[in-house]
Amino acid sequence: MTPHFHALVPDGVFVPREGGVRFEPLPPPTQGEVERLLKVVRHRVLRLLEKRGALPAQGPEDALQVYQAHSPQRRLRWTEVDVRPPPRKQPRCAFLEGFSLHANTHLHANDRQGLERPGRYGARGALALERLSRAEDGRIAYQMKRPLPDGTTHLLFTGLELLRRVASLVPPPRANLTRFHGVFAPGARLRPFLVPQAAEEEASVAP
């Protein structure tokens, strides 16, 4: 399990005005700003994991929480410096001790198809079923999107091991995996000016 978040962020701010809003574009973040933000994210994530008992090794008693805590501990060495070489240097991208932040994708305001593409990418499932196959020894093989630094191309699991890993990805009941923040949040005062209303959508649909 490699926990990560996809975020669609407007490249500016929405300023209230009479009867609507005005969009004020902002310059892209600098490399220094991206690196400082990653340091804050790393510090807060590790502090949260320690607070919830996922670090160090002792975990909670609940079976599902044990699997969820066990998975990142096996795949990621949170308290050690990542010895793997970082990916090729890119602007507005930062890497720090196993954490990474990529903020170098920009979409034009009128590129609606381009905006839909990362939205669909972020909403996809955790597993690609077409990458699952049966190995010769009977175990289940999952093909990696990219080879690991040691050259590994497939992860091998017994049926029970795979179920344990999949169980760790199941969200708690009634948990929303897609969150809206700022002006896009459900209770935001400016949201009605930015998000199409149901009545407008229905009126625009041809009979």
Side-chain angles (χ1 to χ4, degrees), residues 13-24 183 189-194:
V13 294
F14 295 92
V15 181
R17 66 179 182 181
E18 186 176 357
V21 295
R22 182 182 76 256
F23 182 74
E24 290 289 344
V183 294
R189 183 167 55 90
L190 299 181
R191 179 182 169 91
F193 298 102
L194 305 174

Side-chain angles (χ1 to χ4, degrees), residues 85-153:
R88 181 172 53 86
K89 190 68 174 179
Q90 299 181 26
R92 286 179 285 277
C93 296
F95 305 89
L96 177 64
E97 300 180 6
F99 288 78
S100 65
L101 177 60
H102 181 284
N104 198 38
T105 299
H106 176 264
L107 296 168
H108 189 275
N110 296 327
D111 187 4
R112 308 310 297 176
Q113 290 185 341
L115 180 61
E116 181 180 353
R117 193 177 304 113
R120 289 182 175 274
Y121 179 81
R124 76 194 192 287
L127 290 177
L129 298 182
E130 60 271 14
R131 295 187 191 171
L132 288 172
S133 62
R134 182 75 68 174
E136 294 182 358
D137 59 3
R139 290 184 295 174
I140 300 173
Y142 187 76
Q143 183 180 4
M144 306 290 290
K145 184 176 181 180
R146 300 181 185 87
L148 297 178
D150 61 1
T152 301
T153 59

